[in-house]
Structure formats: C-alpha cells, structure tokens
Amino acid sequence: MLVSTYPIPQGQPAQSTSVISAAYNLIKVYGKGESEVRALNGATAEFNQGGFYAIMGPSGSGKSTLMHCLAGLDRPDSGQVILAGMDITTLNDKELTRLRRDRIGFIFQAFNLLPTLTAKQNIVLPLELAGAKVDRAHLDAVVASLHLEKRLDHLPSQLSGGQQQRVAVARALITKPDVIFADEPTGALDSSTSAQLLQYLRDCVTNLGQTIVMVTHDPNAAGYADKVLILSDGQIVMHIDHPNADVVLGAMKQFGA
Ligand code: ADP
Ligand code: MG
C-alpha cells in the first residue's frame, strides 16, 4: 500500500504571477504605398504584475509605438492589447482617455511638471484632475520612497533635474496605476543622477509592488529591470531574465543597435 507522507502540492504555484499588461500580434503600419512603414509587425509581449521591464532595440525598431499601443495612446491596426484583463482596443476614445487617467502612469524624458505648482501640488495633480481624494498614507509612502520629504514646497525651478524627475515619478505613482510606462526616463539626466533614479524606480517595484515598463537604449538602465525584451523590426526577438549590462550589450550588438 502506498502512503503519501508529504502534502501533495495543489492549486497555484507558490509565486503565482499574473499578467497585468500584454500585447498580442500587434500590427501597426504608418503611411501608404512607397512610404509605408511597418512599425509593429506581429509584436507579442506579456508583463506580470509587480515586475520591472525594459524594452530595448535599435532606433526605429518600434519601441515607442509598442509602448504607445500598450498605454492606449495609439491604436494598433490589428492585434489585442490587454490591460488588467480587458482588451482596450475595443474601447472608444472617451473610454480610452478615462482608462489612461485612472489606470496608467506615465514618465517621459522631459519631466513635464507645471512650473507654477509646487512639487507636492504637481504630485497630487492627477488626483485633483480626476476629482479623487488624496490617500494620505499612500502619498507619504510615495514621497518617502522617492526621498522627497524636504522638497515638497519647492517649485520645479528650485529643483535639480534628478529631483524634478523624482517628482514626475511620484506623480505617476500617486493614482496607484496598474502600470507605469516610462519612455527613456533617464534620457535627460547625467549618469550618476540616472543611476539614482533607476534605483528609485527599482525600489518602487520592490517596495510598493508597482509594475513598470520602461523603454531605454541604455544597457546600464536595463540592468535594473527584472526582464529585458528586445525589439527588432517590429517584433520581440529576445527575452533576457535577470539582465546585466554586459549581456544586454551583447544582445543589442546582435540586433544592430
Ligand atoms: P523607436 O521608438 O524604436 O525608435 P518608433 O516606434 O518611434 O521606434 O518608430 C518605428 C517606425 O515607425 C520608425 O520607422 C518610425 O519612423 C515610424 N513611425 C513612428 N511613428 C510614426 C508616425 N507617426 N508617422 C509615420 N511613421 C512613424
Ligand atoms: Mg522611441
């Protein structure tokens, strides 16, 4: 007779991961005839909740187009874009605008802060625009995570570039978005300020459970991510788990970046 002395594993794996954002077979063509450009040519990618992802690839490979489709800023010609279980390509423009406001955070290369508002006013602006209440505990956690406690009453002009970008990160975090999309977030920063900002983004993923998808061309930046996805000619051609700068650089050379 066979007696099982160990509990038989059941149900979910210990570290269950759930897909929060995904693109399936995206096609996006700009222009017509001679001037036609296939920016996305069957791009498929999945992003798990609480992960930090870097999208890389040569200039013109479709990174920004993919990110804009994932974030509902642009529409693919065909394919599915999933956010939190919903196919957002079925939404009309008004619904998409609302979805972006309520469920997605953005960080751009230019910090895009409002110059006449203080750091704190900039951070809570998305909530004000949505007519939502400020969650005091979350605001404190975000401000502490980005070490902005002593800068809240400053105007953007009174802050360094790195501090301004930290305010922009806090503004992206304040609505507890499903995903933050960042397009070259360190593009305007020097290398030591970049390293500091990337560590803060890393901390937001690790400590606050935030999901971040970042477009970058910098192998050092990609080294902070959990996973790198490499785009070439509008398709994802490689995944690198637990990336480091050397491995990423090698992969980039392979694909002509
Ligand atoms: P990346 O961000 O990787 O540099 P993009 O997604 O910006 O690449 O662009 C992919 C391709 O699509 C490029 O050839 C680019 O010129 C083209 N493209 C992007 N946006 C437009 C647009 N609005 N009109 C025409 N062509 C575009
Ligand atoms: Mg781009």
Side-chain angles (χ1 to χ4, degrees), residues 4-213:
S4 170
T5 53
Y6 298 102
I8 296 164
Q10 289 181 13
Q12 300 279 320
Q15 276 211 312
S16 86
T17 47
S18 59
V19 173
I20 186 77
S21 166
Y24 298 105
N25 297 313
L26 297 195
I27 308 273
K28 177 80 184 179
V29 179
Y30 290 110
K32 279 207 164 75
E34 292 276 288
S35 61
E36 178 179 301
V37 176
R38 271 186 180 254
L40 295 177
N41 191 20
T44 289
E46 290 187 327
F47 305 96
N48 289 330
Q49 192 154 27
F52 187 9
Y53 296 88
I55 298 176
M56 304 192 75
S59 177
S61 60
K63 301 181 296 295
S64 294
T65 305
L66 174 59
M67 205 193 82
H68 291 165
C69 288
L70 286 165
L73 287 167
D74 202 351
R75 291 177 186 277
D77 297 334
S78 67
Q80 276 189 308
V81 178
I82 306 296
L83 184 80
M86 179 175 34
D87 183 353
I88 68 170
T89 60
T90 64
L91 302 181
N92 65 33
D93 285 350
K94 201 173 160 191
E95 290 166 332
L96 258 189
T97 301
R98 201 186 170 123
L99 173 114
R100 283 198 305 270
R101 188 191 74 189
D102 294 344
R103 313 195 61 161
I104 293 176
F106 293 98
I107 306 168
F108 299 100
Q109 184 169 329
F111 320 128
N112 296 333
L113 301 179
L114 292 186
T116 58
L117 299 184
T118 66
K120 185 178 172 187
Q121 288 167 335
N122 269 286
I123 293 169
V124 301
L125 188 62
L127 295 175
E128 303 241 316
L129 293 176
K133 278 214 181 98
V134 176
D135 173 345
R136 195 68 232 183
H138 182 59
L139 175 63
D140 289 349
V142 165
V143 167
S145 187
L146 291 158
H147 293 260
L148 285 167
E149 296 94 333
K150 295 186 178 144
R151 305 280 176 244
L152 291 178
D153 296 327
H154 290 56
L155 293 171
S157 60
Q158 299 167 319
L159 298 172
S160 68
Q163 289 165 347
Q164 289 183 59
Q165 192 63 316
R166 275 149 58 194
V167 172
V169 174
R171 180 183 55 186
L173 284 162
I174 199 67
T175 57
K176 301 181 188 171
D178 288 328
V179 187
I180 289 180
F181 292 100
D183 200 350
E184 300 278 2
T186 59
L189 305 176
D190 65 52
S191 61
S192 76
T193 310
S194 290
Q196 191 190 48
L197 187 88
L198 288 159
Q199 186 58 51
Y200 284 128
L201 292 177
R202 176 73 254 175
D203 293 345
C204 292
V205 171
T206 307
N207 302 335
L208 303 173
Q210 181 62 57
T211 309
I212 299 181
V213 177

